[in-house]
């Protein structure tokens, strides 16, 4: 504090704001109308706009919001106080179609005046700039004053913030701080008065509503949930530029603000737009759109905007927190985290736009966050710190496919992907085919969507291994992929469907692990699993054949199954019967039946339970299938475009029930979950590329050539079954080879005659996945194979025997 006092002259004030530390903070709306940032890495700041006002600002010291809300208040001091979010109608558009510069024109409901706001970032400093112009009835404007009301939410939370009024270079401003993060707010014409208050007690809105005048002028507020107010005298100026600056110290924040305000706004805007033009959108994709490329340009820029500027290559899932208006500081993560799944979707979409360097940055970033065992945390902060820790096999397989795609287009530069790929493939071998969590992050078992990604990842890893060269590893990984593919339908379908009477055999959402297998839940029961987020009193335990999702379409996407495969076609009949919602803007699908992750049935926000709603991303996935099947995909492209907000933001979920105006819920429009969902924007961009190419962009040619043919046309057959201590086989088909796999060097001691004779097979190193031993049994043998494992290096035995019935149909 001494350093701040030495640097800046403190203004006379009324002392500290009263009212204590303030009410508990709440996040603002998760429905973002726009995401804005400069394309230059020098800017290091992002912000979002909701309801026509500045919503949240992000500073990459940590990727968490630094403000909760900033809006303007207007009053003539006698007859009205207008709040932007409640008392105006908005017109919204982008200043330039290829730049994330936003213009909002707000009209007073009484028709007396309009407020035009242009939002950009300083292209060279972490400063948000907002130019404001007022027009209208001169008699009204001459009496009006404007108040900037800012709620600092520094270092990821509303509690514990501090602020003071300051004077710098002869101008009044406000300075807020918490831990190492500092924020300043000032205006080029200078605030005539300022106040630092507590939200809910001494804030500027409460002050003005009392008597339409600014009575509070508190010079300091410490350790609370704050609201800072600055007065602008409109009788002296009808146009001004307001700046909010962030820094890792008071001097950095204040000097950044003053540097930005010293440059005319029009020059900032010119540079801002020029920078975005350097990242021009892929205009050839516009030919496949139904809106002349508008959403394509926005989606391209939104994806780019979600790459961090301090940790290049780190793409977060969204600059939003689902149902953020109903959450407080206990939900720090939201979607401001890296999910490998979402990030690969973003990187692949940019690869579809020809942005090879950006995709490579993403891959290199992931290589730096890979764990020693080859895996990735379920999600993590941009600095690599894990947040949730579940095991999701698709999140390990996706980076392999990105590495393969970049390798095939010569986009790796000098980056050697083989060690990275080998370690990730080893982790897949260790755990597949059972995942702790599937792509919806809730259930364990055999997932069609997860296994589709795993198969594709293993084939890509085998191709890379063959080229490095590591032929034994390549052969092993391909055999492992073949083994999963051969059992895929057996593991992930039901022959006793109950959802559509005429379809008994179809894919299910997930088949839970069997007793004795990894991640089996004895409380759920065999063949059953518990669904998360169900409301109190609702059924949450279901049999696998009762729950479906469309994740099996990933099999078609990667080329593992043909679009006309009878099982795919029949499964889609069930999906459309159970999950399809025809909205006023086009068809949309829910994730799975009985999903609880969504707005509550009465329209209230999701808080621990709700009703899963329709996801626009699933409309994009269905459009990809229709393209592969030769169907009509254009209405689905149009539907995705119509699900976007007026600012072009695609929501995670749309409200899929009748209108509830009192709750802000309208059929087919955004619900309260994340908006934008970057994954949805990536899916849309890839869809346009697929349509332009006439084939699915995500298709893995290796998978299509090997599996994407009718079974009777295949030229090979998998003859290997894999045995692991964690997932011991109980039976294998006649004529199959048994390959035992473990991470350490081992010996298999085995017999086929009740230990009258004993065989010993030593394992061989296959690479980072570990060791494998192949047991060769006599031709035509059927009966019991007994085996046990010994690790010579530590002279350790597994401690019991395993029995495998040979010659029986595999279970």
């Amino acid at each position: 504090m001494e350093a701040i006092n030495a640097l800046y002259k403190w203004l006379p004030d009324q002392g500290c704001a009263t009212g204590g530390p303030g009410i508990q903070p709440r996040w603002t709306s998760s429905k973002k109308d726009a995401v804005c940032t400069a394309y230059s890495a020098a800017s290091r700041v992002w912000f979002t706009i909701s309801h026509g006002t500045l919503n949240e600002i992000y500073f990459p010291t940590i990727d968490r919001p630094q403000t909760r809300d900033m809006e303007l208040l207007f009053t003539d001091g006698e007859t009205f106080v207008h709040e932007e979010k409640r008392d105006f109608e908005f017109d919204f558009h982008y200043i330039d179609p290829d730049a994330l510069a936003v213009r909002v024109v707000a009209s007073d409901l009484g028709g007396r005046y309009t407020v035009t706001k242009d939002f950009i970032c300083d292209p060279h400093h972490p400063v948000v700039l907002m130019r404001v112009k007022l027009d209208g009835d001169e008699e009204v404007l001459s009496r009006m004053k404007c108040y900037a009301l800012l709620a600092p939410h520094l270092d990821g939370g509303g509690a514990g913030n501090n602020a003071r009024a300051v004077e710098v270079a002869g101008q009044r401003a406000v300075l807020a701080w918490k831990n190492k993060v500092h924020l300043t707010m000032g205006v080029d014409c200078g605030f005539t008065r300022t106040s630092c208050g507590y939200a809910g007690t001494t804030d500027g809105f409460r002050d003005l509503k009392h008597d339409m005048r600014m009575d509070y002028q508190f010079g300091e507020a410490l350790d609370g949930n704050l609201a800072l107010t600055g007065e602008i005298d409109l009788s002296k100026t009808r146009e001004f530029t307001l700046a909010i600056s962030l820094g890792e110290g008071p001097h950095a924040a204040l000097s950044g603000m003053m540097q930005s305000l010293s440059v005319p706004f029009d020059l900032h805007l010119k540079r801002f737009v020029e920078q975005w033009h350097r990242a021009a959108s892929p205009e050839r994709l516009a030919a496949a759109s139904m809106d002349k490329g508008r959403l394509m340009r926005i989606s391209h820029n939104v994806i780019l905007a979600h790459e961090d500027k301090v940790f290049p290559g780190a793409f977060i899932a969204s600059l939003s927190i689902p149902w953020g208006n109903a959450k407080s500081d206990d939900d720090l993560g939201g979607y401001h985290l890296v999910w490998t799944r979402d990030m690969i979707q973003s990187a692949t979409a940019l690869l579809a736009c020809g942005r090879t360097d950006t995709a490579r940055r993403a891959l290199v970033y992931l290589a730096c966050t890979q764990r020693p065992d080859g895996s990735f945390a379920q999600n993590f902060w941009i600095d690599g710190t894990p947040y949730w820790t579940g095991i999701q096999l698709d999140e390990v397989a996706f980076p392999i496919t990105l590495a393969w795609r970049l390798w095939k287009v010569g986009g790796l530069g000098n980056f050697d992907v083989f060690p990275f790929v080998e370690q990730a493939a080893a982790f897949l071998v260790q755990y597949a085919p059972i995942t702790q969590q599937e792509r919806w992050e809730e259930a364990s078992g055999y997932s069609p969507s997860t296994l589709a990604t795993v198969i594709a990842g293993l084939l890509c890893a085998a191709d890379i291994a063959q080229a490095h060269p590591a032929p034994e590893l390549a052969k092993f990984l391909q055999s492992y992929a073949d083994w999963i593919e051969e059992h895929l339908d057996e593991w992930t379908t039901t022959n006793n469907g109950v959802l559509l009477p005429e379809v008994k055999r179809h894919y299910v959402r997930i088949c839970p692990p069997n007793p004795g297998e990894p991640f089996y839940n004895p409380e759920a029961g065999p063949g059953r699993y518990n669904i998360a987020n169900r409301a109190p009193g609702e059924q949450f335990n279901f049999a696998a054949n009762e729950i479906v999702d469309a994740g099996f379409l990933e099999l078609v996407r990667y080329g593992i199954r043909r679009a006309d495969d009878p099982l795919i076609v029949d499964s889609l009949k069930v999906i459309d019967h159970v999950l399809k919602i025809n909205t006023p803007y086009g068809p949309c699908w829910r994730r799975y039946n009985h999903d609880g992750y969504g707005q509550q049935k009465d329209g209230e926000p999701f808080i621990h339970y709700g009703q899963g709603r329709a996801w626009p991303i699933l409309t994009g996935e269905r459009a990809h299938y229709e393209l592969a099947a030769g169907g009509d995909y254009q209405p689905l492209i149009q539907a995705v475009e119509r699900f976007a907000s007026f600012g072009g933001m695609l929501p995670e979920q749309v409200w899929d029930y009748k209108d509830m105006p009192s709750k802000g819920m309208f059929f087919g429009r955004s619900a309260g979950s994340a908006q934008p969902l970057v994954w949805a924007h990536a899916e849309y961009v890839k869809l346009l590329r697929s349509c332009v190419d006439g084939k699915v962009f995500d298709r893995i040619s290796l998978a299509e050539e090997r599996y994407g043919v009718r079974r009777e046309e295949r030229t090979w057959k998998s003859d290997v079954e894999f045995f692991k201590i964690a997932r011991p086989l109980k039976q294998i088909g006649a004529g199959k080879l048994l390959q035992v796999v473990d991470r350490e060097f081992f010996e298999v001691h085995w017999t086929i005659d009740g230990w009258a004779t004993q065989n010993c097979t030593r394992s061989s190193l296959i690479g980072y996945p570990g060791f494998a031993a192949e047991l060769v049994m006599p031709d035509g043998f059927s009966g019991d194979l007994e085996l046990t494992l010994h690790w010579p290096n530590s002279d350790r035995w597994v401690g019991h025997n395993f029995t495998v019935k040979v010659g029986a149909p595999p279970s």
Side-chain angles (χ1 to χ4, degrees), residues 101 120 138 159 187 372 453 655:
I120 60 169
E138 187 59 32
V187 65
T453 312
W655 181 248

Side-chain angles (χ1 to χ4, degrees), residues 475-488 491 706-707 711 714-722 732-739 774 810:
K475 180 181 177 182
F476 174 83
L477 294 177
Q478 181 172 283
S479 295
Y480 207 88
D482 290 346
W483 172 63
I484 295 174
E485 189 276 336
E486 182 181 47
H487 292 286
L488 180 67
W491 289 336
R706 192 161 185 82
Y707 309 125
R711 290 186 179 273
R714 286 192 179 180
T715 58
W716 60 273
K717 183 178 180 181
S718 175
D719 57 358
V720 179
E721 295 284 349
F722 287 90
I732 64 174
K736 293 284 188 178
L737 299 174
L738 185 65
Q739 199 160 82
E774 189 173 280

Side-chain angles (χ1 to χ4, degrees), residues 263-309:
V263 176
F265 183 89
D266 282 331
L267 183 55
H268 281 309
L269 178 60
K270 180 176 182 291
R271 290 172 176 169
F272 183 92
V273 172
E274 286 174 349
Q275 285 186 359
W276 273 107
H277 283 180
R278 297 174 197 163
S281 301
E283 286 301 317
R284 74 186 190 94
L285 301 189
S289 72
M290 307 299 290
D291 66 352
K292 300 181 180 180
R294 180 178 185 270
L295 183 58
M296 178 273 295
R297 298 180 191 97
I298 295 171
S299 295
H300 171 259
N301 290 350
V302 164
I303 298 170
L304 287 176
H306 281 76
E307 180 185 8
D308 193 81
K309 296 176 181 178

Side-chain angles (χ1 to χ4, degrees), residues 674-694:
Q675 179 176 295
L677 181 66
V678 185
W679 182 2
H681 285 279
E683 176 69 11
Y684 174 74
V685 168
K686 289 191 293 180
L687 176 59
L688 295 185
R689 172 64 187 267
S690 298
C691 295
V692 168
D693 291 350

Side-chain angles (χ1 to χ4, degrees), residues 784-810:
D784 287 349
L785 164 67
E786 296 179 79
L787 62 92
T788 190
L789 268 65
H790 174 238
W791 291 269
N793 292 341
S794 57
D795 194 22
R796 178 169 52 92
W797 292 81
V798 73
H800 60 274
N801 295 339
F802 300 92
T803 299
V804 181
K805 293 188 177 297
V806 180

Side-chain angles (χ1 to χ4, degrees), residues 152-181:
H153 210 94
L154 299 177
D155 206 17
N161 284 268
N162 310 277
R164 276 187 175 176
V166 298
E167 182 178 302
V168 54
Q171 291 194 346
R172 297 172 186 251
V174 289
L175 169 69
W177 70 94
K178 179 181 174 183
N179 300 328
K180 294 182 179 180
V181 182

